[in-house]
């Protein structure tokens, strides 16, 4: 995104794999709740960098609250948002869109409607594909 600027649009969709990651859904809801306060990417980054600390815990609420405080979120609002039907609707909508597009694993990368093969998940190959798509739009 830093390299391409306004020439590309980067969209993140939630697709928590709850059957194999018990805490994936709460993590997705926490990211959405942080997003309601304009801090989605910060929470996203914190969740991914601390995944080993929370992925197997029986209750990740203390960890999520710690991250919310670290990000200077309104913690009361964060808790309310995280447990709200609005946040759940965002995650469910993202999951349904993913299923409709044939997503069955994470991460999945889609460029201009085309799913990228896992073997092409390198910086160089992704850059080649983005460059090709930009050229095709001209």
């Amino acid at each position: 995104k830093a390299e391409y600027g306004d020439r590309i649009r980067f969209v993140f969709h939630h697709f928590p794999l709850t059957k194999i990651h018990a805490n994936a859904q709460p993590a997705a809801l926490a990211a959405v709740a942080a997003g309601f306060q304009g801090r989605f990417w910060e929470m996203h980054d914190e969740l991914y960098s601390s995944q080993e600390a929370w992925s197997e815990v029986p209750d990740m609420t203390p960890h999520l609250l710690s991250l919310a405080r670290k990000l200077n979120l309104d913690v009361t609002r964060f808790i309310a948002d995280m447990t709200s039907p609005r946040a759940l609707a965002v995650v469910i909508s993202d999951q349904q869109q993913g299923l409709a597009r044939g997503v069955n694993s994470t991460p999945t990368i889609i460029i201009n409607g085309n799913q990228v093969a896992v073997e092409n998940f390198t910086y160089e190959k992704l850059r080649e594909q983005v460059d090709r798509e930009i050229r095709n739009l001209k």
Side-chain angles (χ1 to χ4, degrees), residues 34-85:
F36 292 160
Q37 295 186 47
R39 305 298 299 270
F40 170 80
W41 287 112
E42 293 89 341
M43 180 61 81
H44 167 278
D45 294 348
E46 290 291 337
L47 286 165
Y48 275 96
S49 68
S50 65
Q51 192 169 2
E52 284 186 28
W54 60 262
S55 64
E56 301 293 327
V57 298
D59 178 12
M60 69 182 292
T61 303
H63 185 74
L64 295 176
L65 295 177
S66 174
L67 292 178
R69 284 189 288 276
K70 179 178 179 181
L71 297 175
N72 296 315
L73 297 178
D74 175 334
V75 176
T76 302
R77 179 178 166 200
F78 173 76
I79 293 167
D81 285 342
M82 196 172 66
T83 58
S84 72

Side-chain angles (χ1 to χ4, degrees), residues 29-137:
L29 293 169
V32 170
F36 292 160
Q37 295 186 47
R39 305 298 299 270
F40 170 80
W41 287 112
E42 293 89 341
M43 180 61 81
H44 167 278
D45 294 348
E46 290 291 337
L47 286 165
Y48 275 96
S49 68
S50 65
Q51 192 169 2
E52 284 186 28
W54 60 262
S55 64
E56 301 293 327
V57 298
D59 178 12
M60 69 182 292
T61 303
H63 185 74
L64 295 176
L65 295 177
S66 174
L67 292 178
R69 284 189 288 276
K70 179 178 179 181
L71 297 175
N72 296 315
L73 297 178
D74 175 334
V75 176
T76 302
R77 179 178 166 200
F78 173 76
I79 293 167
D81 285 342
M82 196 172 66
T83 58
S84 72
R86 181 177 166 215
L88 184 59
V90 169
V91 174
I92 289 172
S93 175
D94 281 358
Q95 286 175 309
Q96 290 171 341
Q97 288 178 47
L99 290 170
R101 289 183 170 139
V103 172
N104 60 13
S105 64
T106 62
T108 296
I109 299 174
I110 299 172
I111 298 177
N112 232 15
N114 301 309
Q115 192 165 325
V116 177
V118 173
E119 60 269 15
N120 293 327
F121 280 19
T122 66
Y123 176 81
E124 294 78 19
K125 290 188 179 198
L126 289 171
R127 186 169 195 240
E128 287 173 17
Q129 191 161 354
V130 169
D131 288 343
R132 186 171 38 255
E133 291 296 328
I134 290 172
R135 280 193 307 275
N136 289 339
L137 293 174

